[in-house]
Amino acid sequence: MWYYSFVNDSHSHLGGTLMANEKNYKKRDAILSYLRQTHTHPSAEMVYGEVKSQIPDISLATVYRNLATFRQRGDIVCIGTVNGMERYDGNTRPHVHFICEGCYKVLDMPEISLSEQVYNQARSLYGCTANYCNLTINGLCDECTAHQKGEHIA
């Protein structure tokens, strides 16, 4: 199962408020757990579709509200808008992304490193202290490139 199972019935006798809070934590934890375990860089709608299969009473508004909270806290990053939809990543370590302009797939490219030189240049050239660097490469993925050339990928 891809999400953290939040089961704690020990306080259910305390009334509706605590149960409602536990229910909200279960939803929040499921959203964050899904984002940390997937490599698809989903949109809010994609997150909603996946989490709803495990928690049927979750709403799209709950997903959006939690995504905003997670971004603000630094638990997730927003990669940007891809085909009109914000896409998210649960991996907050600096790494390079590739966005395919054909199929809109978002890929991690961990082999391409973001060197300290980038941070040092921000400091030496502009006097800035860089905490995070986000590099996104746009183009066509291997499948779309092959399709464009009329080739097939095995």
Side-chain angles (χ1 to χ4, degrees):
M1 188 167 293
W2 55 258
Y3 78 88
Y4 173 75
S5 180
F6 184 87
V7 179
N8 183 356
D9 253 353
S10 63
H11 302 294
S12 61
H13 65 281
L14 296 177
T17 303
L18 184 57
M19 288 302 291
N21 285 339
E22 286 179 2
K23 198 173 190 181
N24 289 336
Y25 285 125
K26 180 178 179 181
K27 292 173 184 177
R28 181 201 65 202
D29 292 346
I31 294 166
L32 186 57
S33 181
Y34 172 69
L35 285 166
R36 288 189 172 156
Q37 294 179 26
T38 187
H39 299 284
T40 61
H41 306 89
S43 65
E45 290 79 5
M46 294 169 168
V47 172
Y48 170 72
E50 287 296 322
V51 175
K52 189 164 180 65
S53 68
Q54 300 294 321
I55 304 175
D57 66 332
I58 196 166
S59 70
L60 185 55
T62 297
V63 171
Y64 273 109
R65 188 170 45 257
N66 279 282
L67 291 173
T69 299
F70 297 149
R71 278 183 69 187
Q72 186 177 28
R73 290 189 331 203
D75 294 331
I76 64 172
V77 293
C78 181
I79 296 165
T81 304
V82 180
N83 195 28
M85 298 189 326
E86 293 286 326
R87 301 284 288 269
Y88 301 93
D89 194 349
N91 177 2
T92 59
R93 291 183 308 272
H95 62 283
V96 176
H97 290 102
F98 180 90
I99 299 175
C100 180
E101 295 171 341
C103 65
Y104 307 111
K105 175 184 342 184
V106 180
L107 303 170
D108 287 326
M109 298 184 140
E111 298 81 13
I112 300 175
S113 66
L114 295 169
S115 71
E116 283 296 314
Q117 184 179 8
V118 173
Y119 297 94
N120 292 337
Q121 285 181 337
R123 187 177 315 110
S124 66
L125 296 174
Y126 300 100
C128 300
T129 301
N131 295 321
Y132 183 83
C133 179
N134 183 17
L135 176 62
T136 303
I137 301 170
N138 294 56
L140 293 178
C141 68
D142 57 348
E143 293 172 10
C144 289
T145 299
H147 181 356
Q148 191 177 51
K149 293 180 179 179
E151 302 170 0
H152 295 283
I153 294 181

